[in-house]
């Protein structure tokens, strides 16, 4: 459901996601939301590569495209002893504005004197920040891209998480954009074996 809501190019909350589960009662939805939030609180850890930049910054504003509220993310940051943040700006709190469409950067620029943005996502954190007039630095992660705490020494697993997964994600964003220019045409996918 998150992927479906994302395809509508609208910002959504965790409640919007669980409202799509029509087979669940309201009580079950609330229970599921609480379980997910608790799991995230217990398992999210700081991004090691990002910490050094976080510590250097004086006035900190966190900007994120996410379905969880800024208040919730603020709690997670404080649990991990990352304090001194003026505001956690999250797309679901700013209806229709995200890093992906650059509108959240415009809001941040109007509220705060942002001079630099750090992030790991090529498109949302680097390219879109620069296009919005903000100096940006992309944090190239040695470890995993996402913040869930797991240890895995498997070389192929790590390649999938750190290289192949993000590459396929960026390729799919590009492909979606290309297909949107041909909305009145049929799009066929041709394999190397000649099948489509």
């Amino acid at each position: 459901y998150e992927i479906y809501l994302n395809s509508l190019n609208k910002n959504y909350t965790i409640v919007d996601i669980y409202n799509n589960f029509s087979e669940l009662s309201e009580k079950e939805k609330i229970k599921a939301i609480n379980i997910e939030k608790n799991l995230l609180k217990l398992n999210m850890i700081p991004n090691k590569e990002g910490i050094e930049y976080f510590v250097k910054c004086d006035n900190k504003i966190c900007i994120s495209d996410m379905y969880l509220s800024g208040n919730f993310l603020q709690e997670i940051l404080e649990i991990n002893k990352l304090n001194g943040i003026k505001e956690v700006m999250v797309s679901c709190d700013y209806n229709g504005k995200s890093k992906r469409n650059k509108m959240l950067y415009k809001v941040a620029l109007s509220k705060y004197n942002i001079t630099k943005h750090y992030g790991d996502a090529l498109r949302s954190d680097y390219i879109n920040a620069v296009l919005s007039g903000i100096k940006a630095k992309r944090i190239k992660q040695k470890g995993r891209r996402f913040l869930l705490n797991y240890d895995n020494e498997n070389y192929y697993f790590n390649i999938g998480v750190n290289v192949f997964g993000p590459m396929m994600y960026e390729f799919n964003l590009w492909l979606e954009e290309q297909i949107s220019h041909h909305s009145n045409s049929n799009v066929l996918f041709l394999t190397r074996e000649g099948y489509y």
Side-chain angles (χ1 to χ4, degrees):
Y1 290 118
E2 185 183 352
I3 292 167
Y4 165 71
L5 290 168
N6 203 29
S7 73
L8 301 176
N9 284 326
K10 285 199 225 169
N11 292 318
Y12 48 88
T13 66
I14 191 169
V15 174
D16 296 327
I17 293 169
Y18 281 94
N19 278 340
N20 282 284
F21 288 93
S22 56
E23 66 277 10
L24 296 178
S25 68
E26 289 304 311
K27 188 176 179 182
E28 289 171 323
K29 289 175 190 176
I30 291 167
K31 184 178 179 184
I33 288 169
N34 289 330
I35 289 170
E36 181 172 342
K37 284 183 170 182
N38 287 330
L39 282 170
L40 290 170
K41 275 186 188 176
L42 293 171
N43 291 292
M44 289 187 90
I45 60 168
N47 168 321
K48 290 176 187 171
E49 290 80 10
I51 290 293
E52 61 183 273
Y53 297 103
F54 181 88
V55 172
K56 288 179 190 175
C57 294
D58 293 326
N59 298 311
K60 301 171 182 83
I61 296 117
C62 291
I63 304 172
S64 179
D65 286 347
M66 185 124 184
Y67 58 86
L68 296 164
S69 73
N71 290 335
F72 180 77
L73 292 182
Q74 181 92 39
E75 278 181 56
I76 289 175
L77 291 167
E78 288 170 3
I79 287 168
N80 285 283
K81 312 246 183 303
L82 298 172
N83 300 310
I85 299 166
K86 279 187 177 180
E87 183 180 353
V88 178
M89 302 176 76
V90 183
S91 57
C92 75
D93 293 336
Y94 289 87
N95 192 25
K97 296 173 177 68
S98 66
K99 292 190 303 181
R100 187 175 177 187
N101 66 20
K102 301 185 277 301
M103 297 299 292
L104 199 52
Y105 287 121
K106 290 180 182 176
V107 173
L109 279 167
S110 69
K111 289 178 85 170
Y112 304 102
N113 183 23
I114 297 174
T115 56
K116 194 107 178 176
H117 177 73
Y118 301 99
D120 67 340
L122 176 62
R123 181 180 295 229
S124 292
D125 287 318
Y126 181 75
I127 294 171
N128 286 352
V130 170
L131 291 174
S132 299
I134 302 169
K135 288 182 182 176
K137 176 159 179 55
R138 184 166 181 225
I139 301 169
K140 293 183 181 174
Q141 295 193 11
K142 298 175 194 125
R144 66 205 174 283
R145 176 178 163 91
F146 301 103
L147 299 181
L148 288 179
N149 187 11
Y150 62 81
D151 293 314
N152 194 319
E153 298 302 319
N154 183 306
Y155 172 79
Y156 296 104
F157 178 86
N158 291 328
I159 288 288
V161 169
N162 298 311
V163 179
F164 191 67
M167 181 183 76
M168 290 303 295
Y169 176 74
E170 290 294 331
F171 173 75
N172 284 326
L173 288 177
W174 172 84
L175 185 61
E176 183 182 25
E177 192 175 303
Q178 300 306 308
I179 290 171
S180 70
H181 296 303
H182 303 284
S183 58
N184 295 329
S185 307
N186 289 325
V187 177
L188 302 176
F189 293 88
L190 183 67
T191 67
R192 66 182 180 180
E193 295 84 10
Y195 296 107
Y196 65 84

